[in-house]
Amino acid sequence: MTFSSFLELSFWIPLLAAGVRVATPLLFASLGEAVSERAGVINVGLEGMMALGAIVGFLVAYWTGLSWAGLLAAAAAGLAASLIFGFLTIFRGADQVVTGIVMNILLLGLASFAYASIFSSAHVVAQLTAIPIFRVPWLSDLPIIGRPFFAQSPIVYVVYLLIPVFWLLLEHSQWGLSVRAAGENPEAVDSAGINIWYLRLQAVAICGAMAGLAGAILAVIQIGAYVDGMISGRGFIALAIVVFGGWRPWRVAAAALLFGVVDAFQLRLQVSGVPIPSPFLIGMPYILTIVVVAFVAGRAGYPAAINKAYPLRHFSRKARKLLPADSAAVHPLPQENS
Amino acid sequence: MNSRSPLRHIAISEKTSAQSWRFEAFKVSKSYGAVVANDDVSVDLKAGEIHALLGENGAGKSTIMKILYGMELPDAGHVAIDDKVLKITSPADAIAAGIAMVHQHFMLVPNLTVLENLILGNRRFGGILSDRRAARAEISALAERYRIEVDLQKTVSKLSVGEQQRVEILKALVRGARILILDEPTAVLTPQEIKALGLTLRELAQERHGIFIVTHKLPEAMGLSDRVSVMRRGRLIGTWPTDQITSAELVMHMVGRSLPESVSRPEVLPGPTVLELRDICIAGHAGRTMLQNINLEIAEGEILGVAGVEGNGQQELTEAIAGLRQVSAGDIFLCGNVITNSPAASILAAGVAHIPEDRHRDGVVLDFSLTDNAILVDHQTPAFQKRGVIDQGAVIQFTDRLINDYQIRCSGREAPMRSLSGGNQQKLVLGRELARRPKMLIAVQPTRGLDVGAIDYVHRQLIEQRSAGVAILLISTELDEIIALSDRIVVMREGRVTQLPDRPSIETIGAAMLGSFDAPAGAE
């Protein structure tokens, strides 16, 4: 590969196409993480939840032969794991980072244990049938962007839809307003009469389901097999993408695409046989992650209440007995101008 | 209608049945472990009245408020409207019942706009997608009706404290609250803003809202309320119509004895200059300046009072002097020697003592014993250690001397700092700092959160140090404190210092705090 080949479209178009493909699972994970962090809960357990999604998604798809069933099961598994995480951090006040690390260790171990015990006797690697790409009529014929963006696996089009959905949800809905407030000043949310704990749990559940999906996309759709360690730090890269994208869906999408393109770029360099040792090339996305964390995260405005548990109110049984029995014993005062 | 009425003596007139109600806490008791926070407290509030709940810190005011707002449940007694017992177990229940609270630390999200804060959690403005246009129209109309001026598009972090409070009141009204509970509403306001708040509250009362003002400040309780209740040590001492009781009587009820005369300041001729700041500047975030050309001089035996609303550069000023923050331009002299940007340890060693604003964060370690806290600053000096090992004998002797000299009430020198009242904690900090025999004392909010007796004690100590020739920089948001103690007064606003004439009036100081005071030529 000569230097001049970098300047040709025939190099950039396939690179962009590969970048979009690599970015897709990253974007699933980081969109969910953005919601959770904006609610004030940092889910460091993303890596483990993606691994869980990968194994569950792979197993279900393998047994049923239906890839969509695998994705669904992976989302459910990720959600279940995130509920455990949410219970510990939101309702029991456990440190979010420590709990996240524990979840990683637990889930990564669980995934490889499950795979090893189920396929211990098999001599060949279990494989799924590949999912064909779907060319969007007309759009895929557009010059330059047509092939990278509109001749992809159908799941890529789902993520195109999810970006505006998350943007609307987070930036323009009443629910998103509460979520953003919960990450900045949970007291304000509580005194506004919103159930702050349940709200945060919802955000964490979305994050878990998205992380499970991200893992399953990798295993079921993109690779068609489960390999131990296949997540290989993508959960942590997603954490950096969220920071780099400033917790806003569109920018998070752009950041994910950048990471995807960098990863695709280093793969191409490896194949082309440039005289750079491959460990340095493989390390490129991780080096980019470190750069982002070092130079962007320091200045970025993390949600103020991140990793701060909001204490539950506990009322004694004796105190509760003094209250009227009927659940709606609230006297609404007359409204003005009635 | 709505002629601007004087602050009080408004008759509660012509009750229509729909607009007449009575809200009460009936025989409420609440204890936290062995501490009885509320003991058989009964207070009530009628439509169209402003009721001040007065008491010192720790008198149980905030507990009764939390019970009224559903954040605590009473051990005995109940909350009722028109004799109907309410089931309020969360702020959501309270809001549904028409009760809203304006907290002392505002419950606003700083990086959201005013409008977003107002519709937060309000189902009326949309379930999933919010209808901003309808919300804006309705809220503007409401704001206009109560003459609450506020820009709905502005981000809350850009508002002044007074404006933020208006947003909080508006938030209560948007939720349809008829009962407003205001916690220490005047704590962070300038005198002019307090006056404006009074007018707003009057207007609300005329529209048949009921307002509880919870405060430890006597003048505000007298100036704003129709009735006043006094709490002391968890008990309700009594309730009186405001115009039938005097301030002196209220103080008697609050402290259980009459207040000592304000401290007398003996004449002290200031000596040579101890601390001098010349054109001090501190750069803030994003190219903003936190401090701009600060020039100050403090002489031996002089108290320089720095007044101003919190957050106008006072913290940066003290940190600059104490060596805790980098100065970007200018010089600081201590007794003629340059100490600009010196390490904090060498500034302390040069004779600067510091009573920090937030004693829990910067002054003591709550879980450490009194002995450990007593040597927190000086544990490296030869007096307390030999070859790196702490000399327990010397530490015990020192701690006992502090406990004795400063009358610190505690269960013993090994008691954790947490078990002491705020006043006694502050006495230890004060004693520890003064034991270092400073030439220069920086006292930031030295009486915040203390009861009247402890305030008096701290004031006397500061005056005594002044007589002994210590230069004192007193930074406080309590104007009464500044006026009572200071030899000279300056005001800080937006990172600048305004020099004031000798013996300025409250109005002059207030004007300078708002930025509307024109300094005489050449005084900048």
Side-chain angles (χ1 to χ4, degrees), chain B residues 168-349:
Chain B
E168 279 281 11
I169 292 174
L170 197 53
K171 195 163 94 178
L173 297 175
V174 170
R175 299 230 172 91
R178 309 304 325 270
I179 296 164
L180 272 75
I181 306 170
L182 279 74
D183 183 14
E184 301 287 358
T186 58
V188 287
L189 301 186
T190 62
Q192 283 81 349
E193 285 173 326
I194 292 174
K195 212 172 229 174
L197 171 69
L199 290 172
T200 303
L201 295 185
R202 250 322 133 203
E203 212 131 325
L204 289 172
Q206 277 183 336
E207 300 260 354
R208 313 302 295 162
H209 289 84
I211 299 158
F212 263 129
I213 296 177
V214 181
T215 181
H216 66 272
K217 290 186 173 176
L218 199 58
E220 270 87 288
M222 291 296 281
L224 296 174
S225 69
D226 301 308
R227 281 196 301 158
V228 56
S229 291
V230 171
M231 287 190 72
R232 187 173 84 229
R233 293 188 180 185
R235 287 167 169 276
L236 186 82
I237 303 302
T239 302
W240 304 268
T242 309
D243 50 8
Q244 288 172 27
I245 192 161
T246 64
S247 297
E249 286 172 293
L250 283 177
V251 170
M252 279 274 289
H253 292 304
M254 273 170 80
V255 299
R257 61 189 158 91
S258 49
L259 195 64
E261 291 295 300
S262 68
V263 278
S264 60
R265 295 164 57 247
E267 281 299 313
V268 175
L269 279 180
T273 302
V274 175
L275 183 82
E276 186 182 352
L277 273 66
R278 222 179 270 165
D279 285 322
I280 290 296
C281 298
I282 289 183
H285 285 294
R288 278 179 26 222
T289 27
M290 313 276 295
L291 291 186
Q292 215 161 357
N293 298 80
I294 304 284
N295 286 296
L296 289 176
E297 263 183 48
I298 309 172
E300 254 177 37
E302 184 182 47
I303 298 182
L304 177 71
V306 179
V309 177
E310 233 176 313
N312 274 293
Q314 295 97 322
Q315 195 188 347
E316 288 76 18
L317 178 67
T318 50
E319 286 176 352
I321 298 171
L324 299 173
R325 188 183 277 263
Q326 185 100 19
V327 170
S328 43
D331 284 304
I332 305 174
F333 299 92
L334 183 70
C335 304
N337 304 316
V338 180
I339 58 162
T340 325
N341 292 334
S342 299
S346 72
I347 292 175
L348 285 173

Side-chain angles (χ1 to χ4, degrees), chain A residues 38 168-169 171-182 184-185 187-194 310 313-316 318-320 322-338, chain B residues 18 21 69-77 81-82 84-87 89-93 95-98 103 106-109 111-112 116 119-122 125-128 130 145-146 175-176 178-179 209:
Chain A
R38 281 224 122 160
L168 274 174
L169 196 65
E171 313 269 338
H172 291 278
S173 78
Q174 190 79 350
W175 183 82
L177 179 61
S178 312
V179 164
R180 284 182 288 143
E184 293 293 335
N185 188 354
E187 287 90 348
V189 177
D190 184 28
S191 90
I194 300 166
Y310 190 73
R313 272 189 290 277
H314 280 295
F315 299 133
S316 69
K318 189 185 145 212
R320 284 191 173 279
L322 291 169
L323 295 170
D326 54 317
S327 58
V330 170
H331 181 300
L333 283 163
Q335 284 298 301
E336 40 191 324
N337 296 338
S338 44
Chain B
W21 43 260
Y69 196 58
M71 299 177 89
E72 292 283 1
L73 288 183
D75 298 335
I81 293 176
D82 291 336
K84 185 175 187 297
V85 178
L86 303 184
K87 182 177 181 176
T89 59
S90 70
D93 292 345
I95 291 166
H103 298 264
F106 301 134
M107 294 295 172
L108 298 173
V109 184
N111 55 0
L112 298 184
E116 286 178 318
I119 63 177
L120 176 65
N122 197 325
F125 301 119
I128 296 207
S130 43
R145 183 165 151 217
Y146 290 102
R175 299 230 172 91
R178 309 304 325 270
I179 296 164
H209 289 84

